[in-house]
Amino acid sequence: MSTFEAIILALIQGITEFLPISSSAHLILPSQVLGWEDQGLAFDVAVHVGTLLAVITYYRKDVGELIAGWFGSWCGQHSEYSRLAWLLIWATVPAGLAGLFGAGLIEDYARSALVIAITTIVFGLVLWYADVRASDRAGIHSLTLTQAILVGLAQAVALIPGVSRSGITMTAGLLIGLKRVDAARFSFLLSIPVIIMAGGYQGVKLAQQPEPVAWLAVISGMVVSFVAAYLCIHYFLKVIARMGMLPFVIYRLILGVALLWLVFG
């Protein structure tokens, strides 16, 4: 993989990781349209590290409060952040179990361009429905355990390519009554343990299967994905506060139709 390809793929990963538009739907395009080869495990780990550092840096105050609150809860010191930390942990369990027991099936049967096209369109329409009926009432600290687990179950569905992890968790957040910005905030915080698990799993595979590493491409990918993801989070929150999710719904529908054209054209 050339450095140019690494930068383009890292841009795609960094931007689409947190937008509700499906990173898998976009990452399939370079291989389908340009014939680019798979980027390899080392690059996958690098862009995961880049996007992880981006969300942690952007929400560094929240992350610090969550860590302190979680440790404090073991000493009987309870707060809004200790409660939120436990909700995030419980909400991560469904995706962890789904990844442990279902990742193989999905890898074998659900990674086709047709599946990605259909899920991109269908879950784009579901996002539109959730956004239209959004109440903009509740904040992130009003979440109940049941609601957090419902968002976690939605996140598990995102193992199917094209669904979009951020898209389905924001959809679930809107459906349970969260404000748009709070639905996004919970989704982004919930991404941290999931990205750690995915990156850790890929890191273990990389350690077990040594392969030559193109360090310039890997480092470029990590830096570019970090910058792209950080800016993406910042501007995305501004867009949904003013315009809601409609621009992303329209984009998903166009992308889904384009993928269908690639499949059947």
Side-chain angles (χ1 to χ4, degrees):
M1 178 175 56
S2 69
T3 303
F4 172 76
E5 291 177 6
I7 290 172
I8 297 301
L9 290 172
L11 272 173
I12 294 173
Q13 178 68 36
I15 293 170
T16 60
E17 179 70 34
F18 298 114
L19 292 183
I21 56 177
S22 175
S23 59
S24 55
H26 288 77
L27 289 171
I28 197 175
L29 289 174
S31 61
Q32 291 282 331
V33 178
L34 303 174
W36 291 1
E37 296 181 2
D38 181 80
Q39 58 265 39
L41 275 175
F43 185 81
D44 281 343
V45 172
V47 294
H48 272 94
V49 170
T51 53
L52 175 64
L53 291 175
V55 69
I56 289 175
T57 302
Y58 193 87
Y59 285 105
R60 55 193 177 276
K61 183 177 182 298
D62 280 334
V63 171
E65 295 277 11
L66 287 166
I67 293 172
W70 186 77
F71 279 109
S73 69
W74 289 96
C75 304
Q77 300 172 3
H78 300 289
S79 65
E80 285 186 334
Y81 276 100
S82 66
R83 181 174 174 277
L84 181 58
W86 281 107
L87 291 181
L88 288 166
I89 290 170
W90 283 111
T92 302
V93 171
L97 293 175
L100 184 63
F101 296 108
L105 288 173
I106 291 169
E107 188 72 28
D108 291 338
Y109 299 107
R111 293 197 65 84
S112 70
L114 179 58
V115 169
I116 293 174
I118 292 170
T119 52
T120 297
I121 292 171
V122 169
F123 286 95
L125 292 173
V126 176
L127 175 61
W128 170 78
Y129 171 76
D131 190 51
V132 167
R133 70 182 300 276
S135 62
D136 263 1
R137 290 193 315 269
I140 194 171
H141 289 291
S142 69
L143 277 173
T144 66
L145 177 59
T146 300
Q147 289 173 329
I149 290 176
L150 286 174
V151 176
L153 289 170
Q155 180 170 245
V157 176
L159 285 173
I160 302 171
V163 171
S164 170
R165 192 212 62 81
S166 57
I168 193 68
T169 51
M170 289 180 205
T171 298
L174 292 171
L175 288 174
I176 62 176
L178 287 178
K179 300 174 185 177
R180 290 183 178 93
V181 171
D182 282 277
R185 181 182 169 201
F186 189 74
S187 171
F188 294 151
L189 292 174
L190 190 58
S191 74
I192 293 174
V194 170
I195 295 174
I196 289 173
M197 288 191 297
Y201 173 70
Q202 290 174 324
V204 170
K205 286 175 64 178
L206 180 63
Q208 293 174 342
Q209 301 173 8
E211 57 184 30
V213 175
W215 285 109
L216 180 58
V218 167
I219 294 171
S220 299
M222 183 171 66
V223 172
V224 170
S225 64
F226 168 81
V227 174
Y230 187 92
L231 293 174
C232 174
I233 294 170
H234 179 72
Y235 288 107
F236 172 73
L237 293 173
K238 292 182 179 295
V239 169
I240 62 171
R242 294 182 179 181
M243 304 173 63
M245 299 289 183
L246 184 59
F248 305 99
V249 172
I250 294 171
Y251 182 83
R252 284 186 71 120
L253 297 179
I254 294 172
L255 178 62
V257 171
L259 288 172
L260 286 175
W261 180 79
L262 282 174
V263 172
F264 296 108

